[in-house]
Amino acid sequence: MIKVTIDGIQVEVENGATILDAAKKAGVYIPTFCHDDRLAPTGACRICLVEIEGGPPRLFASCVTPAADKMVVKTKSEKIAKARKTNIELLLVHHPLDCPVCPAAGQCHLQDLTYEFGLQTSRFKMPRKEKEADISNPCIEQNDNRCVLCGKCIRVCNEIQGVGAIGLVKRGFNAYVGTPFQNELNCDFCGHCVTTCPVGARNSRFIMKGRAWNVKTVNSICSFCGTGCSISYDVRERENLVTGAKAVHGLGINGNFQCSKGWQGFQYIHSKDRLSKPLIRSGKTLSPVSWDDALEEVSKNLKRIIDEHGPQAVAGMGSERMSNEENYLFQKFIRTVVGSAKVDNILNMKNRAVGEGLPETLGGLVLAPLERLDKVQLIFLAGADATEESPVAGNMIRRAVTKLNAKLIVANSRNIRLGRIASQSLAHRVGTEAALVNGIIHEILTRNLVPREAAASRIENLEELRNSVSTFTPDYVERITGVAAAEISRAAEGLASSEGTAFLCGRDIIGNAGNATALEALKNLIILTGNGNSGKGGIMLFREFSNSQGVNDMGVTPNMLPGYQSAKDPKVREKFEKAWGKPVPEPGKETGDIIQQAIDGKIKALYIMGEDPVMRYPDGQKVREALGKIEFIICQDLFITETASYANVVLPGVSFAEKTGTFTNMEGRVQRFAQQISPLDEALPDLNILCKVAERMGAKLKSNISEEAMAEIAQLSPLYSGISTATGKGCGGTVSYSPGADSKGKAGIVSFSAPSEGPKDFPFTLVTGNLLHHLGPYSRKSEALNAVAGGSFVELSLKDMKELDGIKEGDMVLVESPHGRLSLPAKFNSKSPQGVAFIPNNFENAPVNILFSGNSEVTQVRIYRTA
Amino acid sequence: MATAKDRIKVLVGMATCGQAAGGVKVYPEVERQLKELGIEADLNAVGCIGCCSLEPLMDIVMPGRTRVTYKQVDAEKVGKILQKHIKEGEIDKKSVLAQMHTNGKDENPYEGVPFFDEIPFFAKQRKIVLKRCGYIDPKSFDDYIAMDGYKAVTKVLKEMTQQQVIDEVTKSGLRGRGGAGFPTGMKWSFASKSPGPQKYFICNADEGDPGAFMDRSVLEGDPHAVLEGMIIGGYAIGANTGYIYCRAEYPLAIEQLLVAIDDANKHGYLGKNILGSGFDYQLIIKEGAGAFVCGEETALMASIEGFRGMPRSRPPFPAIKGLFGKPTNINNVETLANIGHIILMGGAKYAEIGTEKTKGTKVFAVTGKIKNPGLIEVPAGIQLREVLIDICGGSDRKNVQIKATQLGGPSGGCIPFEHAETAIDYESLIQAGAIMGSGGVVVMDEMNCMVDVARYFLNFTAEESCGKCTPCRVGTKVMLDILERICRGEGEMEDIQKLEDLGNDIKAASLCALGQTAPNPVLSTIRYYRHEYEQHIKDKFCAATVCVPLLKFEVREDVCTKCGLCKKPCPTDALVWEKKQTARINHATCTKCRACIEACPFRAIK
């Protein structure tokens, strides 16, 4: 600690603290401009000048000058006041002073400082800059006339987002913020430069912020991916509009990070495509009707079908993007009001192991919190293109590697972006993750990289594990996976010697059931390397949607009631029956795949709440056939999604901004999102809709208030018993899927069969995934996100493009699998290794799932040029 | 077999100045003539001895005789000089400049040829840094060794501890020659005490002041001396890697450095375990990309790190947190070229040269309105007048007097000729409103407008400001704008006050030395030549006949001698003159290019 005197006030500060820090501690105000607590100080604007007694006669920028012991600082003097004022004057010399039309007016730091310093006129007359605003990129407008070159946009892009897309171009008075070589802006469009700009120099081309005094901010949770970022939304109350979104320093798990969906994805709330009234099908068209008519239609048909075919002819599909409370009430509705056990969600339908089987799968492992990434020595990222699928979590990985010196091993079948900063990239063949991990375990065990004693203390059945991996020699694994034996050895050494490794698993491993063995193998590796529940490392599972985790926690699954309590257990059923006052159906043989049952004619009515199986179910042909066979389909959603176009009744729900509730993120963290505006048009909060439908059916679901629903959940599910509902916002607590877990684990025995060679006439392996800018049907309703990423494509390696008849970027090609075909423009991407093609799953006009079959989102395809 | 001493030697000045003056043509001509005349001689290219106006220079050494330097040699003269000197043993008196003393007692001089120390340009100089420049072949490792090369490194690595080296440099009183004058020994001691296994030593060779070429000449003429300074410095502070940040506009300097580094590596003065001392040291050249601000040490380091060359705030100083965040020492070329000499002669001996607070010698590049421009090295404390008049021969025009001298380039200030008795040392110069600077001396005469001079330097700094901090980025531009208005005759009286006021704010508030010194040329010209500013503003009059919008382009009949010298340079035939007639300017075709004004020896055109 050092002692510093600021304006006569003595304070003690840490060694390394700046004069500004010391002044803050002393309660002395120093005006700042380019300073930002999130960013490394730069000392560019020279507003925060102070004098150091006994130092050189010049003035020092307090934000960047380290305080020294016994330093005596003056923050107020005639000289300081004059220099500060001159600086403001200089910043205004070329500024357009177009405050009436500037989006930053009222929240502009330059405006505030000008007012604070009481400047009336400038002594200096110079021509104002008159440069056209730069709109050469899809969504950011840059107005250099207003720019004061504080450099915050450059620094936030570089230091926080780790992108470095912009920098200063030219020198002196001609300097401006630009891109390398004046190329078109090539960035992630996270908008952090825009939300950080203290003046109106950087703006979204799609969002009209609104005047600061007309805007209130509401802190809430982002409605897109499973990371669960906190976002501060701007709301124009008078007009009932959400007008802006940004991450806020120190708020939520994301802290400073924000991504393109978090920034502009919310635009779907006010999309012109939002449903304003319920719709009923007559013939081929869906026509608007009153709520009364819609509810009548729903209840009449459900009752009729239950009467005619029994309650098991009705099924329900919950949603990975709707709240815990809504999902809870939904399964309660299906189970008690309809009386059917057939309730499910797409994640669970894809891979039960990480759906209703999660606690069993984890087998005692505790999900590690994301903040642990900041503390681990090594990160093992398997089967996840993190910066695309969960960009903020991806950024946390990047920060851990580039700023906090963690090492990174990437195991992926594609050359993902994080591979560039990885200490090792294990580029394996599609679907061979299990063999790769077993190869690593084999190396660790045969070379005793983890000492025998330690291994034995961690794994009960060590010998069994040893035997099970005995065939996975490096050479064998190299043949299977394509990863060099030496690389496998090196990875094994790194994993064995690291004291604390975070293992992150993504969609390639947990997204489809076919790869369940990979997760099992990875678990063995986690336990073997001492990262089980030691608190130093651990396992993290990426979740696709905001509530992919919660929908399963809520029992929107056929075999588990809320909190993973088995519906087959009479005692459990009895507990719920008592609480719900209705019988709870026992899952029987028939509670398999709803889609298959529909094809078999066993499902006559399907209630889909906030889900789009037509786009999301892995087997696109099958789901379309199934929906075609169902007599009566109810869809509850914001839009006429691909699925809703099959519906007989569409009930307009509301967006996350128009209601409140909780999402459970990938860590098991339950976070409350706050209502920002009142429901638009005639749309109703989804809890209300469920209650109203139940009422028409002659039942009562007790409460349409989210807090009360959560109280009921907490009461019935030990998993959620500790979750607080009292706090109106933020995190209510974290769920543990392995309560009372100890650190000793039992190895699961992994059998592995190499993926069979595809048929020779389908030479490419096709994989899919989400793009950075899109997720689910809603992101496609954001004008801004569509401007950045507007259409589908098939990504190929440069070599493949050459060999395929010299295809060039943008050429139309036909992608054909044994199950279907799609015509798409070709796109070069260095991510794709030779022989692997990628089509994003985000575009409804190019539904990639029609190429897949079964439960796998990988298939073999052939590709031709068509134009 | 004849040893090197027995052979005839011919040496041609091939530094950038020599090449530009025609050395590139002289050199091959010498080669051809030697062959034609059947003379067996060693032909070498050497650096610059400083008298730029007399280039191209050619030296001839006959075995056992003194070395004779010929001036302003062109291809035509070469054959004649060689023939006479070598074949006939005669000196071409018209072309000879001087002969050099040889160290031996029984030197055999040519009669009637002055020795270098007898001609005024060299008489008052004291050459330490420039001792070898122009004398040795910079590409020859043996030449360097023959003149005590690497003796200092050998002494340091074999006999001295790191602390002893620092003490010796401290004792010498050497201060940074880059401009700021920070004591070198103290700088080294900071870097040496800064903890950490990885340290860097940087040579700042990003010489950028307009009119300055001291460092270039040293690098081109004696590159090993700089290397030697870097090796000693690197050893003293505990660095294992040195960077030479050299501006890319110095291709010859870079070429010489590359050869020198290669030779030093080959001979074991660089690399692993130098001279068996256990000291490892490598040198890397980093070429600058043409930004003046990269001469500022923090910007320079950012540039080496691969970032845009922008300064960062100090403290922390490089000695604590420098290149790649590691303790780093940065010295200028000339500072480093002194080190070897200090080690060999001893710090105390070196400190005998100069004044109480400024020790040793200083190299200056003298340019502008001066008879003998060039590169000189003088002992500190010498009067400015001695440099301007005694060494450089005063004004280059008969009827025009020297008005002022700009020292320290765009960061410095001007000293009126009336103050020419000012001693050249750090403190006296600051007191006079200028700075020692890196050594650029621009001489101005009555035909230099001081407002225009200020505008010129401000234009330079405003262009070269990196754009990071507000006062420098906008402030210099605002000042420039005001100066331009004054030069156009659109100034207002309060502009002078504004310039002073804003200038002082920029100095106090800017982030780096570029901004902190940028207003100096303006402030010092206002200090000494306020009346010129006032004339421009009030009378719309530029006495120096520089500011075109204020000129009438009329011939003063009372002054015109009817000589007609003004007619020839006029590009549009706007100047009407016939013998015995006063000249007249036709305003319809005059483009106001000022060629006639520059041509008139009597200043008859206003």
Side-chain angles (χ1 to χ4, degrees), chain B residues 205-283:
Chain B
D206 193 50
E207 184 173 51
D209 285 1
F213 48 87
M214 301 73 58
D215 296 346
R216 190 196 71 208
S217 297
V218 173
L219 292 171
E220 288 178 356
D222 193 11
H224 282 288
V226 180
L227 264 47
E228 201 166 352
M230 289 192 75
I231 298 167
I232 295 168
Y235 169 75
I237 70 156
N240 60 19
T241 303
Y243 280 91
I244 303 173
Y245 188 88
C246 186
R247 60 189 308 204
E249 296 93 326
Y250 283 177
L252 181 60
I254 290 166
E255 186 186 320
Q256 308 290 37
L257 280 170
L258 284 169
V259 172
I261 291 174
D262 201 35
D263 277 341
N265 269 310
K266 269 186 209 149
H267 290 91
Y269 291 101
L270 281 176
K272 294 258 175 236
N273 191 18
I274 300 171
L275 303 180
S277 63
F279 173 55
D280 301 338
Y281 197 57
Q282 58 162 344
L283 285 183

Side-chain angles (χ1 to χ4, degrees), chain B residues 173-187:
Chain B
L174 178 66
R175 292 168 67 175
R177 297 294 192 239
F182 192 82
T184 307
M186 202 191 286
K187 208 179 206 180

Side-chain angles (χ1 to χ4, degrees), chain A residues 41-47 49 57-61 64-66 79 82-83 86-91 93-94 123-127 129 147-150 158 167-175, chain B residues 289-293 307-308 310-317 462-475 477-478 481-482 485 498 501-502 504-512 516:
Chain A
T42 167
C45 74
R46 319 304 286 176
I47 298 297
L49 297 169
R58 66 188 168 96
L59 301 171
F60 288 82
V64 69
T65 308
K79 188 178 177 185
K82 184 167 166 294
T86 299
N87 277 332
I88 303 286
E89 234 178 321
L90 291 176
L91 287 176
V93 155
H94 57 77
R123 287 173 293 162
F124 313 118
K125 305 268 181 295
M126 270 178 75
K129 284 188 181 172
C147 178
V148 288
L149 290 174
C150 67
N158 196 19
L168 270 192
V169 179
K170 295 201 176 173
R171 285 203 288 258
F173 194 71
N174 299 322
Chain B
F292 175 69
V293 73
F307 297 106
R308 177 180 159 98
M310 286 205 296
R312 41 189 184 239
S313 185
R314 298 178 312 172
F317 289 95
E463 284 273 319
E464 293 294 343
S465 162
C466 77
K468 182 172 177 177
C469 79
T470 315
C472 178
R473 179 183 70 241
V474 190
K477 173 76 177 165
V478 171
D481 201 58
I482 295 173
R485 272 198 288 110
K498 275 184 199 170
D501 208 43
L502 183 54
N504 284 320
D505 282 344
I506 294 172
K507 281 177 69 131
S510 288
L511 191 155
C512 83
Q516 286 159 16

Side-chain angles (χ1 to χ4, degrees), chain A residues 210-231:
Chain A
R211 287 298 185 232
W213 49 88
N214 291 332
V215 167
K216 70 163 186 179
T217 56
V218 180
N219 294 341
S220 191
I221 303 296
C222 178
S223 64
F224 284 96
C225 82
T227 310
C229 296
S230 290
I231 300 280

